[in-house]
């Protein structure tokens, strides 16, 4: 079935369904897309549960508490993910070059380094300085009171969540995306059930509110760790860990992780620092407006997913083809992933623009929240084409091990442009929540310009790893 006559009408995705490159892209991307979309939907359901607590003031404080907790949590997860970027790029290269014997050692390095250097220390800091961290981010008294227990429980769950991310990143490096999808869908489903039971006190359980949501989340992450570890220990995949094989640090792997991971780590630090400062400015607008902002972020997370899914596919395929010494094929894969992902994101943008109030009303009946969040969603709709393209091309660059320019784009766009403009639009010009989202729109355009320009040079095709 061929639609080549329609190429100029924006239907290139359907040009040739037998195209092997496109088929490979879709094969890797669709399980990730399903996993991320349903994961976001489950997260949206969780937020809706909290937003529907009968006490409106407690509901707003609970939603705000989750948003505030997510800021330091995402900083920790982003640092782990930065280390995973190096692991994914190396595993994809070794897999493409048929050097599978190196893969297990890479995974062990990534897991041990992330646990010892990042996850355990950050969890301890979160548990000891809970109130100080939440207050710094902008939690007001009601959000602090409602969310203190939630914060501490989530910090414990962070230990399992980071392990899950490292194993999933390794599996995706070889294009094995169905297993992480299956595991994450199972535990997300359990998390939704656990949230309903513990938030509202169903089936004889105590009514714990937002603290119950934290318990359910942490337990779900622990179950996912057991399932993923069982899978790779049993040797059902090329990605495996054997406790019988002695481990020793490898200088070449450490060098590659530093070369690829340090810029990726700095990028994530810049991203999360910028987002934290951004969130703190918005939190100054009050708990109800911050709850509206958090709902907008929750819906925005849904729109991230096509870009992230196809970005992961681009990373895997770029790394594998460069490992096989096929740079032109790597570029072809990157362009195809961008085209497909961008079309999906554009479709989602239409929904956000025209059906914003209906989406927001699922979270809260509060007219102030509905009005503010709906306005933010119109800006989010305009962001979509730039956001998706930037995610996917940056994924291709990371898969090649070229992590410096994504760092430059994020540092400039988020830490400088977004934070400065948010301060100007919100605190000086008084535009409120819509001003904050106008800053996000400009930030996304800036980041897209940097990443697209770097991709066009083709220099990423010549990055070497040991």
């Amino acid at each position: 079935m061929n639609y080549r006559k329609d190429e100029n009408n924006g239907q290139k995705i359907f040009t040739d369904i037998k195209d092997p490159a496109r088929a490979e892209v879709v094969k890797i991307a669709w399980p990730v897309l399903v996993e991320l979309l349903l994961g976001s939907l489950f997260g949206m359901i969780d937020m809706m549960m909290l937003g529907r607590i009968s006490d409106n003031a407690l509901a707003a404080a609970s939603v705000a508490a989750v948003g505030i907790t997510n800021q330091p949590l995402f900083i920790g997860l982003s640092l782990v993910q930065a280390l995973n970027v190096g692991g994914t790029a190396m595993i994809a290269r070794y897999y493409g070059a048929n050097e599978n014997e190196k893969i297990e050692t890479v995974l062990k390095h990534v897991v041990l380094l992330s646990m010892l250097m990042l996850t355990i220390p950050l969890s301890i800091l979160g548990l000891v300085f809970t109130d100080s961290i939440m207050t710094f981010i902008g939690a007001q008294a009601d959000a602090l009171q409602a969310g203190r227990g939630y914060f501490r429980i989530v910090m414990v769950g962070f230990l399992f969540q980071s392990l899950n991310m490292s194993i999933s990143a390794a599996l995706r490096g070889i294009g094995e995306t169905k297993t992480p999808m299956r595991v994450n869908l199972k535990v997300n489903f359990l998390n939704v059930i656990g949230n309903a039971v513990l938030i509202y006190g169903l089936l004889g359980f105590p009514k714990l509110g937002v603290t119950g949501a934290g318990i359910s989340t942490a337990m779900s992450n622990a179950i996912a760790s057991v399932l993923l570890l069982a899978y790779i220990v049993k040797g059902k995949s090329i990605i495996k860990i054997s406790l019988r094989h002695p481990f020793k640090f490898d200088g070449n792997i450490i060098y590659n992780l530093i070369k690829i991971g340090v810029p990726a780590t700095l990028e994530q630090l810049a991203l999360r620092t910028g987002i934290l400062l951004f969130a703190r400015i918005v939190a100054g607008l009050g708990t109800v407006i911050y709850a509206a902002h958090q709902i907008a972020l929750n819906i925005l997370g849904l729109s991230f997913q096509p870009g992230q899914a196809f970005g992961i596919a681009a990373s895997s395929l770029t790394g594998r083809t460069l490992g096989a010494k096929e740079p032109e094929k790597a570029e072809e894969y990157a362009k195809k992933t961008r085209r497909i992902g961008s079309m999906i994101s554009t479709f989602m943008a239409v929904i956000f623009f025209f059906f914003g109030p209906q989406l927001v009303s699922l979270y809260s009946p509060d007219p102030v929240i509905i009005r503010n969040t709906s306005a933010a969603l119109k800006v989010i709709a305009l962001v979509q084409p730039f956001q998706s393209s930037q995610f996917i091309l940056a994924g291709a660059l990371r898969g090649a091990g070229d992590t410096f320019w994504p760092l430059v784009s994020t540092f400039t766009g988020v830490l400088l442009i977004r934070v400065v403009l948010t301060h100007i639009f919100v605190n000086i010009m008084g535009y409120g929540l819509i001003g904050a989202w106008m800053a996000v729109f400009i930030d996304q355009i800036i980041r897209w310009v940097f990443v697209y320009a770097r991709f066009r040079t083709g220099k990423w095709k010549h990055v070497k790893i040991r």
Side-chain angles (χ1 to χ4, degrees):
M1 189 172 184
N2 195 301
Y3 290 88
R4 291 190 185 276
K5 294 180 181 179
D6 294 323
E7 283 188 353
N8 294 328
N9 294 325
Q11 298 186 29
K12 292 183 179 180
I13 186 175
F14 302 113
T15 299
D16 186 355
I17 62 174
K18 296 182 180 179
D19 179 353
R22 181 174 289 116
E24 187 69 14
V25 168
V26 173
K27 176 184 175 184
I28 294 175
W30 80 259
V32 183
L33 181 58
V34 169
E35 174 190 346
L36 294 177
L37 283 174
L38 292 182
S40 284
L41 285 172
F42 285 137
M44 291 169 73
I45 292 169
D46 293 347
M47 195 71 74
M48 291 172 194
M49 289 180 184
L50 292 172
R52 292 286 174 174
I53 291 174
S54 56
D55 183 332
N56 285 342
L58 179 60
S62 297
V63 171
V66 171
I68 286 165
T69 301
N70 283 344
Q71 299 307 316
L73 174 65
F74 288 165
I75 289 175
L77 291 174
S78 66
L79 294 176
V80 174
Q81 186 57 34
L83 189 61
N84 291 341
V85 167
T88 299
M90 292 165 63
I91 287 170
R93 286 281 188 110
Y94 293 146
Y95 182 63
N98 290 318
E99 298 178 8
N100 295 347
E101 69 281 357
K102 296 181 179 180
I103 291 177
E104 180 181 351
T105 304
V106 172
L107 178 57
K108 285 181 176 178
H109 276 77
V110 171
V111 170
L112 284 174
L113 290 173
S114 66
M115 281 289 175
L116 296 176
M117 295 174 58
L118 296 171
T119 310
I120 294 174
L122 291 175
S123 292
I124 293 172
L125 285 173
L127 291 170
V128 173
F129 299 105
T130 299
D131 283 20
S132 299
I133 294 171
M134 293 184 71
T135 302
F136 173 77
I137 295 170
Q140 298 185 9
D142 52 355
L144 183 62
Q145 180 65 31
R148 184 183 288 114
Y150 175 84
F151 186 100
R152 289 175 174 152
I153 294 164
V154 167
M155 286 299 105
V156 174
F158 171 56
L159 296 167
F160 301 104
Q161 197 170 358
S162 82
L163 175 61
N164 301 340
M165 288 174 63
S166 296
I167 297 173
S168 296
L171 290 167
R172 290 167 181 155
I174 64 168
E176 189 173 338
T177 53
K178 289 183 180 179
T179 298
M181 176 192 72
R182 293 190 187 103
V183 169
N184 283 302
L185 291 185
K186 287 176 184 176
V187 298
N188 274 314
F189 180 71
L190 290 174
N191 185 32
V192 168
I193 295 174
N195 279 345
V197 169
L198 296 177
I199 289 172
Y200 300 125
L202 306 178
L203 304 177
F205 283 85
K207 185 177 181 180
L208 299 176
V210 69
T211 302
I215 294 171
S216 178
T217 299
M219 291 181 63
S220 298
N221 285 324
I223 293 170
S225 293
V226 171
L227 295 175
L228 287 169
L229 279 171
Y231 180 75
I232 62 174
V233 168
K234 289 178 180 178
K236 295 182 178 181
S237 167
I238 292 171
I239 304 295
K240 59 175 67 73
I241 284 183
S242 173
L243 300 179
R244 292 176 296 178
H245 296 164
F247 173 78
K248 63 178 180 178
F249 285 105
D250 185 305
N252 285 331
I253 291 176
I254 297 294
Y255 171 84
N256 290 333
L257 287 175
I258 292 173
K259 178 182 176 182
I260 299 170
V262 167
T265 300
L266 293 175
E267 178 195 355
Q268 291 300 322
L269 279 173
L271 174 67
R272 291 303 162 187
T273 302
I275 290 176
L276 189 150
L277 294 173
F278 171 71
R280 194 176 182 193
I281 295 171
V282 177
L285 294 171
T287 298
V288 173
I289 298 299
Y290 189 79
H293 172 67
Q294 185 57 36
I295 290 170
L297 283 175
N298 198 246
I299 297 173
L300 177 66
L302 185 67
S303 75
F304 281 168
Q305 312 314 341
Q308 288 185 329
F310 285 94
I312 288 169
S315 291
S316 175
L317 292 167
T318 297
R320 284 161 55 181
T321 47
L322 291 177
K325 303 189 184 305
E326 297 177 310
E328 299 311 313
K329 193 171 183 180
E331 183 172 358
E332 178 189 3
Y333 277 132
K335 289 180 177 178
K336 288 183 184 297
T337 53
R338 183 184 62 163
R339 186 180 305 147
I340 300 170
S342 294
M343 291 185 70
I344 295 172
S345 291
T346 300
F347 171 74
M348 296 180 74
V350 173
I351 295 175
F352 293 158
F353 193 90
F354 291 105
F355 301 100
Q358 290 82 357
L359 280 174
V360 181
S361 65
L362 296 174
Y363 288 83
S364 172
D366 189 319
V368 176
I369 289 179
I370 292 174
R371 183 174 66 254
N372 280 275
T373 310
S374 299
L377 285 181
K378 290 190 183 299
V379 181
I380 290 172
L382 299 177
V383 164
Q384 295 307 301
F386 302 100
Q387 173 185 282
S388 178
S389 180
Q390 181 256 128
F391 272 168
I392 294 169
L393 293 182
L397 295 180
R398 294 185 188 105
D402 186 4
T403 51
F404 178 74
W405 283 99
L407 162 63
V408 173
S409 72
T410 299
F411 183 88
T412 305
V414 179
L415 197 54
L416 297 182
I417 301 296
R418 181 190 295 196
V419 172
V420 172
L421 289 183
T422 301
H423 172 68
I424 292 171
F425 292 157
V426 173
N427 294 336
I428 297 176
M429 302 181 73
Y431 289 167
L433 186 60
I434 192 68
W437 284 95
M438 287 165 56
V440 173
F441 175 66
I442 297 169
D443 151 43
Q444 287 287 356
I445 293 176
I446 296 296
R447 282 197 274 170
W448 172 78
V449 168
F450 275 103
V451 170
Y452 182 70
R454 176 60 178 179
F455 180 80
R456 286 291 300 271
T457 67
K459 293 180 181 179
W460 53 274
K461 290 185 267 189
H462 307 292
V463 175
K464 305 294 184 185
I465 69 167
R466 294 180 181 178

